Amino acid sequence: MSGFLEIKDSCTGCGICVKTCPVQALSINDNKRAVVSDACTLCSICVDSCPFQSLAVHHSFGGNEEQLAKYSGILVLCEMRNGSPDRSTYELLGEARKLSAGEKEVSVLVVADDPSDAPEKLIHAGADRVIVAEHSSFEHFSTEPWSSVLTHVITEYMPEIVLAAATTTGRDVMPRVSKILDTGLTADCTELKIDADSGMLMQTRPAFGGNIMATIVCDRTRPQMSTVRPGVMKPMEIDTSRTGEVINLQVTEEMTNNRSKVLEFVPSAGDEVDITEAEIVISGGRGMKNPENFSILHDLAHLLGGTVGASRAAVDNGWIEYPRQVGQTGKTVQPKTYLAAGISGAVQHRVGMQSSDTIYAVNKDRDANIFQFCTEGFVGDLFDIIPALVKEIEKRRG
């Protein structure tokens, strides 16, 4: 990794940075301004010591065309759930295979205390190479170790593109790693494609509250990093005949260093079906009025074999837990059936569920935005309609 130390015009020549530099790379010139020599190691100690914020370290993990050309392939960060790769990982693998067009090698990084048969599953799902970082301390996710491992793998294998799901894990690790490597990161992407002329990754995401779609290019640094919304991409079909390479990474003490400690892992209580994997999602919004009223949505979801979601308004009011939030700041879902009860249909909610096969809406306000894009809409009081629907289903089922 290369870069430089910037001395800004606000430098007063106070000399504090000179005293703190461990390699004596700084001095004060006749113009009462700090200057840096080639001995600088870019450790950033002087940056933290400057009271005027006149110093800044700029890393360069890329640079000229010759350096950028050294990067190749696609790396996917795997998330494990109950000992197996999460659905979002399979979605990213499917997208990575599409982006590779058979020309780029697709790798997956697994960070786990026990990877079990995950490498084999990932190869069958599209990976050419699986890099396994196995250590007892990786039982539960923690920012520092995961960031350290991912940074090491990127430095070692130099992938051109790095993908992670826009989950709490991906949103935590990827910004940290992109800062360490001083490269670009596009968050919450809903579309990825390779530009035919430049060969660069075109990363599209909602912007300005979802009112426009912005396409972003990282043209001067590598790797090109993206987090992708779960439920947006399609996994490829499993091919048990596929073969690939499995590499067991040597996990060092530096990689496992962690200033925080997980004392206990408490899974959130809720339906047996995860919101991003459910084929039927029944969501409630501000119109639910209080947390107790969500019980009628749970009753309906239970009858239909689905799960309960919510708008941001319901979550912000403390009526239901955050993992059920659908929308721009929540999760993206793609169920066969989506029912919105008491949800106005703001664009922030729409971007999280508009890809559902069939969308039903119940709202007292006939002018609610959700009626503009739902498949079928019902104007009425949800507290009359939902219980009546539950009774009718129970009646028909005897």
Side-chain angles (χ1 to χ4, degrees):
M1 189 186 304
S2 61
F4 66 95
L5 175 65
E6 177 189 7
I7 312 295
K8 301 180 182 179
D9 292 338
S10 57
C11 175
T12 63
C14 67
I16 293 177
C17 60
V18 176
K19 297 177 182 178
T20 59
C21 181
V23 294
Q24 299 179 334
L26 288 163
S27 60
I28 305 298
N29 63 15
D30 295 338
N31 296 323
K32 299 296 182 182
R33 182 181 173 86
V35 292
V36 60
S37 71
D38 293 337
C40 178
T41 62
L42 304 179
C43 67
S44 298
I45 294 177
C46 60
V47 175
D48 297 332
S49 70
C50 180
F52 306 104
Q53 298 181 332
S54 300
L55 305 175
V57 169
H58 297 275
H59 293 294
S60 177
F61 210 81
N64 58 41
E65 292 185 8
E66 183 180 350
Q67 291 174 314
L68 298 183
K70 295 178 181 179
Y71 295 83
S72 64
I74 303 172
L75 175 67
V76 172
L77 178 62
C78 172
E79 290 190 38
M80 300 284 284
R81 180 179 296 186
N82 299 323
S84 296
D86 185 61
R87 176 182 172 83
S88 62
T89 301
Y90 292 119
E91 293 173 358
L92 290 175
L93 264 176
E95 186 65 14
R97 283 253 65 96
K98 187 169 71 173
L99 293 172
S100 72
E103 298 178 357
K104 301 177 187 292
E105 187 174 53
V106 176
S107 302
V108 181
L109 171 61
V110 177
V111 184
D113 64 324
D114 179 14
S116 186
D117 59 350
E120 182 180 11
K121 289 181 176 179
L122 293 168
I123 290 172
H124 293 166
D128 297 314
R129 176 172 58 190
V130 179
I131 304 168
V132 180
E134 182 179 358
H135 195 272
S136 58
S137 65
F138 297 155
E139 180 181 3
H140 299 301
F141 167 76
S142 192
T143 307
E144 287 185 279
W146 276 58
S147 299
S148 179
V149 171
L150 180 56
T151 301
H152 173 82
V153 170
I154 293 174
T155 305
E156 179 75 17
Y157 294 95
M158 300 181 70
E160 183 181 4
I161 297 170
V162 179
L163 305 177
T167 58
T168 51
T169 297
R171 288 170 172 166
D172 190 344
V173 172
M174 293 286 274
R176 185 183 182 94
V177 173
S178 71
K179 176 58 180 175
I180 293 172
L181 303 180
D182 200 26
T183 190
L185 168 66
T186 305
D188 289 345
C189 293
T190 56
E191 182 182 357
L192 300 173
K193 66 179 181 179
I194 302 295
D195 182 70
D197 297 325
S198 66
M200 289 186 290
L201 182 66
M202 313 295 286
Q203 306 160 82
T204 302
R205 69 178 305 276
F208 292 99
N211 291 304
I212 65 170
M213 301 300 287
T215 298
I216 299 168
V217 176
C218 179
D219 60 346
R220 292 193 296 268
T221 59
R222 293 292 182 272
Q224 303 163 94
M225 300 180 66
S226 305
T227 59
V228 180
R229 288 188 173 224
V232 174
M233 308 302 182
K234 300 289 186 182
M236 64 178 286
E237 292 186 9
I238 300 299
D239 181 1
T240 56
S241 65
R242 289 192 87 258
T243 59
E245 180 184 13
V246 178
I247 299 175
N248 293 306
L249 186 70
Q250 183 177 355
V251 179
T252 64
E253 183 178 350
E254 182 182 3
M255 295 180 193
T256 60
N257 285 341
N258 196 359
R259 286 173 288 183
S260 62
K261 182 179 180 181
V262 178
L263 299 178
E264 184 181 7
F265 179 78
V266 182
S268 59
D271 296 336
E272 64 278 3
V273 182
D274 180 75
I275 187 174
T276 60
E277 299 178 357
E279 293 190 349
I280 299 175
V281 177
I282 315 294
S283 287
R286 196 187 304 275
M288 297 305 297
K289 297 183 179 179
N290 62 59
E292 289 75 22
N293 288 333
F294 270 85
S295 62
I296 63 174
L297 300 189
H298 283 284
D299 291 341
L300 180 58
H302 180 71
L303 282 172
L304 298 177
T307 190
V308 174
S311 68
R312 177 171 178 172
V315 173
D316 286 349
N317 283 330
W319 298 345
I320 197 167
E321 60 271 21
Y322 171 74
R324 297 185 183 276
Q325 182 174 321
V326 176
Q328 185 173 2
T329 54
K331 295 181 178 179
T332 300
V333 296
Q334 269 186 326
K336 291 182 178 179
T337 302
Y338 188 88
L339 171 59
I343 295 176
S344 64
V347 66
Q348 290 85 353
H349 184 76
R350 180 175 180 174
V351 297
M353 44 68 75
Q354 61 187 354
S355 297
S356 305
D357 291 349
T358 305
I359 301 172
Y360 298 105
V362 179
N363 203 297
K364 289 195 298 184
D365 181 7
R366 66 177 59 250
D367 297 321
N369 290 333
I370 200 158
F371 290 134
Q372 298 178 13
F373 62 90
C374 67
T375 310
E376 297 285 347
F378 303 89
V379 178
D381 192 332
L382 70 90
F383 297 109
D384 294 331
I385 295 174
I386 301 299
L389 181 58
V390 170
K391 289 182 180 179
E392 182 64 23
I393 294 173
E394 291 177 333
K395 178 181 175 181
R396 294 191 181 189
R397 292 183 178 179

